[in-house]
């Protein structure tokens, strides 16, 4: 890439570090309802379905906004888009503290959700500072900003207890505003955008930016992300409520245990990016799906009482997952999800180096929609089915379908159309020059 000529490692590191910190704060803001939503639920007497909709509404905005934010990033550069996005979101978060009715909470939550669109902006901005051989690791490090969910689950309960939920929103708004200023003062235009402006090249129309979306593989990447990211966000929002309902914990304890899940779901994303660079993103996706499928099988099993007609009378026993093994299982679930999130995004700059914003925005949008749809489904299933573990049953089905589809559509299709790959040591995403119709 000629645009990287003259770019120093110091510039790369600074851009990556500041972008990651900004994304961490944005993600913490994006998931703020996982904690303050519980207090709002208690104040308004909401059902689980209404609560699920409340915590999921910011995810909807953050998801839908990713597609046009990605396009704007490709057109105008990530630095200016990132800066304006954080400023606008900080205002929305501050206004959240001033509403009092359920419909107004939902409306305010839409504005808060803009924070989630920061991923599409940051992923395009960061990727343009690195060559293809290092993008997986760099994007994995950037994706560690998902740890913002753990920050909220761990810290927000204590702020809520000490200052009230309204002041939690105000504190988050101020922190995000300050981060926007810091980002603007410490970063510079990415090499790709800078080179384009120096050459006087015109910005590509939005229609051209969306052209790659006609390829099936883009939508396949999006489907994978629906689980590895969408379900991750959904559980980060839902687990505090789950711990309080199933194990009768206080909000502070529930938040900390939920953070135990969210933390590995973020910090190991860098490992997933490194693994994708070294062994191929598709192998990492197999590890992700098979690991999650195994864990979800155990998490799906509801607490059950058994009575066996024995020789000397009935033998009664029960099967249930105690809180300690449950926490351990969720930690490993978050770990496997973090690998998968990095693996999905390893593909994009390799296949679509000139459309990272648009393609990354679509994939992120579909993944984010999972974070919106799933909490609503979790609440609805609680109200209708009445089984707490029904949320994990749903996720088990989704992963099962995903891994079967991936195996059929990738392995079998690839080998049929490109038999030379049967003996290839490098996986397809590590190769260059593949035709546009490659699945």
């Amino acid at each position: 890439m000629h645009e990287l000529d003259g770019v120093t490692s110091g510039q790369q590191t600074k851009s990556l570090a500041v972008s990651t910190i900004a994304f961490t704060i944005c993600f913490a803001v994006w998931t703020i309802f996982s904690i303050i939503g519980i207090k709002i639920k208690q104040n308004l007497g909401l059902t689980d379905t209404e609560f699920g909709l409340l915590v999921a509404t910011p995810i909807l905005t953050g998801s839908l906004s990713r597609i046009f934010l990605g396009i704007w990033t490709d057109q105008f550069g990530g630095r200016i888009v990132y800066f304006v996005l954080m400023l606008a979101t900080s205002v929305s978060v501050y206004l959240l503290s001033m509403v009092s009715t359920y419909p107004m909470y939902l409306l305010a939550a839409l504005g808060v959700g803009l924070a989630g669109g920061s991923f599409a902006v940051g992923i395009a901005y960061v990727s343009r500072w690195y060559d293809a051989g290092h993008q997986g690791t760099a994007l994995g490090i950037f994706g560690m900003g998902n740890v913002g969910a753990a920050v909220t689950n761990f810290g927000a309960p204590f702020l809520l207890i000490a200052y009230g939920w309204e002041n939690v929103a105000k504190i988050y708004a101020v922190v995000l505003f300050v981060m926007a200023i810091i980002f603007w003062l410490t970063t510079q235009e990415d090499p790709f955008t800078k080179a384009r402006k120096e050459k006087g090249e015109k910005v590509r129309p939005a229609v051209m930016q969306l052209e790659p979306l006609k390829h099936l593989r883009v939508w396949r990447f999006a489907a994978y992300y629906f689980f590895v990211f969408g379900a991750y966000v959904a559980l980060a929002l839902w687990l505090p409520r789950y711990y309080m309902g199933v194990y009768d914990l206080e909000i502070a304890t529930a938040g900390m245990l939920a953070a135990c899940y969210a933390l590995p779901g973020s910090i190991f994303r860098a490992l997933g990016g490194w693994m994708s660079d070294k062994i191929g993103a598709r192998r990492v996706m197999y590890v992700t799906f098979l690991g999650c499928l195994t864990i979800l099988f155990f998490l799906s099993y509801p607490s059950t009482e058994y009575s066996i007609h024995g020789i000397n009378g009935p033998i009664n026993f029960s099967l249930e997952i105690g809180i300690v093994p449950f926490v351990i299982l969720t930690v490993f679930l978050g770990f496997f999800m973090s690998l998968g999130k990095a693996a999905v995004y390893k593909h994009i700059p390799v296949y679509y180096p000139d459309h990272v914003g648009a393609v990354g925005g679509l994939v992120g949008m579909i993944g984010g929609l999972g974070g919106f749809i799933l909490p609503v489904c979790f609440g609805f299933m609680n109200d209708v089915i009445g089984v707490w573990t029904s949320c994990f049953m749903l996720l088990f089905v989704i992963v099962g379908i995903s891994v079967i589809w991936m195996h059929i559509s990738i392995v079998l299709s690839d080998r049929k159309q490109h038999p030379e790959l049967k003996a290839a040591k490098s996986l397809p995403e590590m190769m260059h020059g593949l035709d546009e119709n490659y699945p």
Side-chain angles (χ1 to χ4, degrees):
M1 295 177 64
H2 298 294
E3 294 82 3
L4 294 179
D5 294 340
V7 173
T8 66
S9 60
Q11 291 175 315
Q12 293 175 320
T13 300
K14 184 174 69 172
S15 298
L16 175 58
V18 177
S19 298
T20 303
I21 295 172
F23 180 50
T24 301
I25 295 174
C26 286
F27 209 91
V29 169
W30 200 34
T31 56
I32 190 173
F33 277 99
S34 65
I35 299 302
I36 69 172
I38 295 175
K39 187 63 176 178
I40 296 172
K41 179 182 187 297
Q42 295 172 347
N43 292 344
L44 299 183
L46 304 179
T47 65
D48 277 336
T49 301
E50 290 172 327
F51 171 74
L53 180 61
L54 177 64
V55 300
T57 296
I59 312 305
L60 177 63
T61 312
S63 304
L64 297 179
S65 65
R66 288 183 175 192
I67 185 68
F68 62 80
L69 286 172
I71 293 173
W72 288 346
T73 301
D74 282 340
Q75 293 180 324
F76 307 114
R79 183 169 178 256
I80 182 64
V81 177
Y82 214 156
F83 173 66
V84 173
L85 176 65
M86 284 189 280
L87 288 182
T89 306
S90 66
V91 175
S92 299
V93 178
Y94 194 88
L95 294 176
L96 172 64
S97 64
M98 302 180 181
V99 300
S100 57
T101 64
Y102 183 64
M104 289 302 295
Y105 282 126
L106 293 178
L107 183 61
L110 290 174
V112 174
L114 289 173
S118 61
F119 180 74
V121 182
I123 211 80
Y125 178 71
V126 170
S127 68
R128 288 173 176 168
W129 285 96
Y130 293 87
D131 60 87
H134 297 87
Q135 284 174 337
T137 302
L139 296 181
I141 293 173
F142 173 77
M144 288 173 63
N146 288 166
V147 77
V151 172
T152 288
N153 285 335
F154 180 81
F158 296 99
L159 293 175
L160 185 150
I161 294 172
Y163 304 110
W165 77 261
E166 294 90 347
N167 286 321
V168 174
K170 292 178 180 178
I171 292 171
Y172 270 49
V174 171
V175 172
L176 184 59
F177 180 85
V178 172
M179 185 65 237
I181 302 301
I182 293 174
F183 178 83
W184 182 256
L185 295 177
T186 58
T187 59
Q188 52 188 302
E189 201 81 80
D190 68 82
F192 181 88
T193 302
K194 183 179 180 180
R196 189 188 65 207
K197 290 182 178 180
E198 290 176 349
K199 297 175 183 177
E201 296 179 358
K202 293 183 178 180
V203 175
R204 289 192 300 268
V207 174
M208 292 182 62
Q209 294 289 339
L210 294 172
E211 185 178 358
L213 305 190
K214 66 183 181 181
H215 299 145
L216 177 62
R217 63 170 172 257
V218 174
W219 295 92
R220 190 169 68 241
F221 299 158
Y224 302 159
Y225 211 60
F226 182 88
F227 171 74
V228 294
F229 178 75
Y232 167 79
V233 173
L235 285 178
L237 295 170
W238 188 254
L239 278 178
R241 165 68 179 145
Y242 186 94
Y243 278 119
M244 294 176 70
V246 176
Y247 299 106
D248 196 28
L249 301 177
E250 296 295 328
I251 187 171
T253 306
M256 286 190 290
L257 292 180
C260 292
Y261 155 77
L263 191 60
S266 308
I267 61 176
F268 288 105
R269 188 162 180 165
L271 174 63
W274 178 82
M275 290 174 62
S276 297
D277 282 339
K278 296 300 180 181
I279 68 173
R282 292 182 175 177
R283 288 192 181 122
V284 177
M285 287 306 303
Y286 271 110
V287 171
T288 293
F289 283 147
L290 294 178
C292 289
L293 197 66
T294 302
I295 293 170
L296 288 170
F297 173 81
F298 292 103
L299 292 177
S300 298
Y301 204 88
S303 179
T304 308
E305 298 286 342
Y306 289 94
S307 181
I308 299 175
H309 296 286
I311 296 175
N312 299 317
I315 302 174
N316 300 314
F317 66 96
S318 62
L319 287 179
E320 61 180 347
I321 298 179
I323 188 169
V324 173
F326 181 87
V327 171
I328 293 174
L329 286 172
T330 59
V331 167
F332 279 100
L333 181 64
F335 167 75
F336 284 114
M337 284 178 161
S338 69
L339 301 183
K341 284 183 286 187
V344 171
Y345 267 88
K346 165 62 184 178
H347 295 81
I348 296 173
V350 174
Y351 281 111
Y352 305 102
D354 297 327
H355 302 84
V356 175
V359 176
L362 173 79
V363 173
M365 181 189 74
I366 299 300
L369 285 176
F372 167 72
I373 294 171
L374 292 174
V376 178
C377 292
F378 295 166
F380 178 77
M381 294 171 74
N382 267 15
D383 289 335
V384 175
I385 300 176
V387 177
W388 276 106
T389 59
S390 58
C391 58
F392 298 111
M393 297 177 188
L394 175 60
L395 295 181
F396 179 84
V397 173
I398 293 174
V399 177
I401 294 173
S402 297
V403 71
I404 293 173
W405 181 32
M406 182 176 72
H407 184 74
I408 293 175
S409 65
I410 294 180
V411 177
L412 299 184
S413 180
D414 284 355
R415 291 181 176 179
K416 179 179 179 181
Q417 297 185 33
H418 294 265
E420 70 278 7
L421 295 180
K422 290 181 180 180
K425 294 182 179 179
S426 296
L427 295 183
E429 73 272 9
M430 302 295 292
M431 301 170 64
H432 298 283
L434 295 177
D435 63 87
E436 282 298 312
N437 295 319
Y438 190 73

